[in-house]
Amino acid sequence: MVKKSKKTTVYSALEVANICGVVNQTAINWIRNGHLKAFTTPGGQYRVYKEDLITFMKDRNMRFPEGFSTDLSILIVDDDKGLNTVLTKYIQKNYEKAEVFQAFDGFEAGIMITEHKPNLVFLDLNLPGVDGFSLCEKINTTESLGKPAVFVITSLQDEGIEERVKRLGAKEFFQKPIDFRKISEAINQHFSL
């Protein structure tokens, strides 16, 4: 699948303040205190990448203002090619602005997460290569992967499996067969859509 080129959006401290509904000095304090990742221009002004602002706001359960696009990108990881394709088509139909990638095993998923830094990973647990449990833990403990939300999808029926994956950092747990209405509800809730 070809990755669409995307322009990098950068905000000033004042723009961050306006998006978050605070005064400019509050945004500057977030940056200076290391809460909000930013860089400094040659002229000494703070600038914040959109992805970093989105992460900051999500971590603090802040509301996104009306019309603010979070540029949703999703990786679907499942070795069941039929389900992977159906879920991909469902998301593309219902979230037209979302960028969707597919992986069919744990190794491919690791490469795609590193390359594309998706906001959301649908993750099957029973995968060839690297299993979903290991991948879930790695996603949530490796800062450089961008800490995407992980939604587990599985046919495994083991007792305590939902609690186990949530301890590893999964945000949602879905048992197969998938209820697509619940998938949409979870996406809308986590990404303020």
Side-chain angles (χ1 to χ4, degrees), residues 14-89:
L14 180 59
E15 289 170 319
V16 167
N18 289 334
I19 291 166
C20 294
V22 297
V23 296
N24 191 32
Q25 190 58 50
T26 300
I28 291 169
N29 289 342
W30 288 338
I31 294 166
R32 285 185 180 155
N33 293 324
H35 302 297
L36 176 57
K37 190 173 174 184
F39 66 94
T40 309
T41 66
Q45 301 296 311
Y46 292 119
R47 295 292 181 263
V48 177
Y49 286 113
K50 185 173 186 176
E51 303 81 48
D52 293 328
L53 178 59
I54 290 169
T55 300
F56 172 82
M57 292 176 72
K58 283 181 188 169
D59 287 348
R60 286 155 183 78
N61 294 317
M62 296 172 76
R63 282 197 170 274
F64 292 97
E66 184 125 355
F68 184 85
S69 167
T70 57
D71 296 326
L72 187 61
S73 64
I74 299 172
L75 173 62
I76 299 169
V77 185
D78 198 315
D79 60 328
D80 178 339
K81 290 189 172 154
L83 177 61
N84 196 318
T85 300
V86 167
L87 184 53
T88 297
K89 288 183 178 179

Side-chain angles (χ1 to χ4, degrees), residues 32-156:
R32 285 185 180 155
N33 293 324
H35 302 297
L36 176 57
K37 190 173 174 184
F39 66 94
T40 309
T41 66
Q45 301 296 311
Y46 292 119
R47 295 292 181 263
V48 177
Y49 286 113
K50 185 173 186 176
E51 303 81 48
D52 293 328
L53 178 59
I54 290 169
T55 300
F56 172 82
M57 292 176 72
K58 283 181 188 169
D59 287 348
R60 286 155 183 78
N61 294 317
M62 296 172 76
R63 282 197 170 274
F64 292 97
E66 184 125 355
F68 184 85
S69 167
T70 57
D71 296 326
L72 187 61
S73 64
I74 299 172
L75 173 62
I76 299 169
V77 185
D78 198 315
D79 60 328
D80 178 339
K81 290 189 172 154
L83 177 61
N84 196 318
T85 300
V86 167
L87 184 53
T88 297
K89 288 183 178 179
Y90 175 81
I91 290 169
Q92 288 171 332
K93 179 181 176 201
N94 291 283
Y95 300 93
E96 292 174 7
K97 293 184 179 179
E99 193 170 22
V100 184
F101 304 97
Q102 293 175 276
F104 299 96
D105 64 50
F107 290 118
E108 186 180 18
I111 291 166
M112 299 205 64
I113 292 167
T114 302
E115 276 181 19
H116 300 296
K117 303 259 187 317
N119 309 105
L120 170 59
V121 176
F122 281 96
L123 181 62
D124 184 21
L125 295 174
N126 194 10
L127 292 169
V130 179
D131 72 74
F133 294 101
S134 301
L135 201 51
C136 184
E137 184 174 28
K138 186 172 178 96
I139 288 168
N140 286 291
T141 57
T142 308
E143 202 67 41
S144 64
L145 297 180
K147 299 252 185 167
V150 176
F151 289 6
V152 166
I153 50 176
T154 188
S155 58
L156 296 176

